[in-house]
Amino acid sequence: MGMHLILLCLMLMKASSTSANGDGDGDSGCPLGSDTYQYSCPEAEAIIFSWVEQAISQDSRMAASLLRLHFHDCFVNARHSLGCDASVLLDDRDDFVGEKSAAPNLNSLRGFEVIDAIKSELELVCPETVSCADILATVARDSVVLSGGPAWEVKMGRKDSISASKEAANNNIPAPNSTVDVLLTKFQNVGLNLQDMVALSGAHTIGKARCSTFSSRLQSSSDSSDVNMQFIQSLQQLCSGEDNTNKVAHLDLATPATFDSQYYVNLLSGEGLLPSDQALVNGNDHTRQIVETYVEDPSAFFDDFRYSMVKMGSLGSSTQIDGQIRRDCRTINLPN
């Protein structure tokens, strides 16, 4: 991106975040770029990385949680844009319903306090400059890197939404019991393809899931040759008892905190935790072939994952109409 366009974009984004009516309306038409904050906030990525590193050192599960925030943000079709616009961070208010109370997010999404801490420091260093949406995209990358996964260049320049859609969050975010056909439809609806779907599912190589999200796996029968009954029985034991609401299992039991291709190895062994994970092997020959490729060549997974993350992170960037740079990621900017 040329210098003149960078400066123009920054001026327009700044103007939209501090417009007279306080709602940040404005169409910047700015493409995402790698040097958006080179002059306006050169410390931005270092500040973000430092907070992510600290958070993961205190809680290794936080890597998956921050990565998941970006996913759940990008898949939601909000009022004026589709994609990565930080709508997932907006709190409910008396006159506003956000996405945090949607079924895929309620009592499930974590890491909001990490985003708050990052935003607070950025507002001190370079006020009203770095968008919350760009923070989400960057913490996702940093979480993967700090867990041993691939690095990629995060394109910057997203704007923060001034709206959210609980309905879209309920409808658009893939459910853990989805079939391959349902998964593919959800991915295609936002502009991603089958290859992206299998590669991005590899994010489940880190993190945990509650028993309620894989309850249908507990009902698997030994009649099927595709079922690993030893694995199923271990899950049944974990999730037994009356109060299993908060019990969690590792998505990847072998290397739970390491971002690697073990997730795909697990699928071929019948040890996919979520039904939507195991479906990639048992429910479709094409997706199974991709899984087998990633098992044989982990570098192919890393290459495809970074490519698909950049692709997903760009969703909505060219169609954002209204937006702002929020001063607080939990609420839209109010008139001064």
Side-chain angles (χ1 to χ4, degrees):
M1 200 167 26
M3 181 61 66
H4 293 299
L5 182 54
I6 294 171
L7 294 176
L8 176 60
C9 286
L10 291 172
M11 290 171 62
L12 288 171
M13 291 174 71
K14 183 78 169 180
S16 71
S17 68
T18 57
S19 58
N21 61 12
D23 63 4
D25 288 349
D27 180 8
S28 74
C30 299
L32 299 184
S34 58
D35 47 8
T36 302
Y37 302 122
Q38 181 177 352
Y39 299 101
S40 60
C41 193
E43 308 96 327
E45 289 196 65
I47 290 172
I48 294 171
F49 185 87
S50 177
W51 279 104
V52 174
E53 186 175 38
Q54 177 180 320
I56 294 175
S57 69
Q58 296 172 352
D59 175 11
S60 62
R61 185 186 174 192
M62 189 56 67
S65 298
L66 294 174
L67 178 57
R68 190 161 176 254
L69 277 178
H70 185 45
F71 271 81
H72 282 224
D73 183 39
C74 293
F75 265 81
V76 173
N77 185 356
R79 181 167 62 98
H80 290 303
S81 67
L82 171 66
C84 316
D85 58 7
S87 57
V88 72
L89 300 178
L90 291 170
D91 284 341
D92 287 0
R93 302 189 305 273
D94 291 340
D95 59 346
F96 179 87
V97 177
E99 298 164 13
K100 291 181 178 180
S101 57
N105 299 336
L106 184 64
N107 298 321
S108 177
L109 289 184
R110 307 168 68 243
F112 296 110
E113 69 283 356
V114 179
I115 306 301
D116 292 340
I118 292 170
K119 184 60 174 173
S120 294
E121 182 168 352
L122 288 173
E123 285 301 297
L124 289 175
V125 175
C126 36
E128 298 178 59
T129 301
V130 182
S131 69
C132 300
D134 280 347
I135 293 173
L136 284 178
T138 307
V139 299
R141 186 269 313 275
D142 292 349
S143 294
V144 170
V145 171
L146 286 164
S147 301
W152 62 91
E153 184 178 66
V154 176
K155 303 296 184 182
M156 305 287 197
R158 300 165 189 80
K159 291 194 293 185
D160 299 326
S161 69
I162 58 172
S163 63
S165 176
K166 180 179 179 179
E167 179 182 7
N170 280 323
N171 294 333
N172 294 10
I173 297 172
N177 59 349
S178 299
T179 63
V180 170
D181 288 342
V182 171
L183 284 174
L184 184 56
T185 297
K186 302 276 190 182
F187 275 75
Q188 289 177 332
N189 284 344
V190 298
L192 300 172
N193 59 32
L194 185 140
Q195 187 86 38
D196 298 318
M197 180 185 80
V198 181
L200 292 174
S201 294
H204 287 170
T205 187
I206 56 175
K208 300 179 181 180
R210 291 178 297 169
C211 289
S212 59
T213 63
F214 55 88
S215 56
S216 64
R217 288 281 279 150
L218 305 181
Q219 313 306 318
S220 299
S221 169
S222 58
D223 296 337
S224 174
S225 59
D226 294 329
V227 175
N228 182 329
M229 282 310 299
Q230 183 177 355
F231 177 67
I232 297 300
Q233 289 168 359
S234 69
L235 295 181
Q236 291 171 338
Q237 182 176 3
L238 172 69
C239 297
S240 63
E242 296 181 1
D243 186 19
N244 62 8
T245 305
N246 295 317
K247 288 185 178 180
V248 294
H250 290 295
L251 287 162
D252 171 7
L253 189 60
T255 56
T258 302
F259 196 99
D260 55 20
S261 62
Q262 183 63 39
Y263 162 81
Y264 299 104
V265 176
N266 297 342
L267 298 187
L268 293 181
S269 301
E271 297 180 357
L273 183 65
L274 304 180
S276 57
D277 290 332
Q278 196 58 47
L280 297 179
V281 164
N282 298 348
N284 184 283
D285 289 340
H286 192 180
T287 56
R288 184 187 179 97
Q289 290 173 1
I290 300 173
V291 169
E292 290 172 344
T293 297
Y294 292 160
V295 170
E296 295 170 3
D297 184 6
S299 65
F301 163 51
F302 275 22
D303 288 343
D304 288 352
F305 184 82
R306 62 163 65 94
Y307 173 84
S308 295
M309 284 297 292
V310 172
K311 187 176 177 181
M312 184 186 75
S314 300
L315 295 177
S317 61
S318 62
T319 58
Q320 288 180 331
I321 298 174
D322 298 334
Q324 58 183 201
I325 308 298
R326 291 185 212 138
R327 292 183 288 269
D328 179 344
C329 290
R330 292 176 178 264
T331 184
I332 61 173
N333 297 341
L334 299 176
N336 293 324

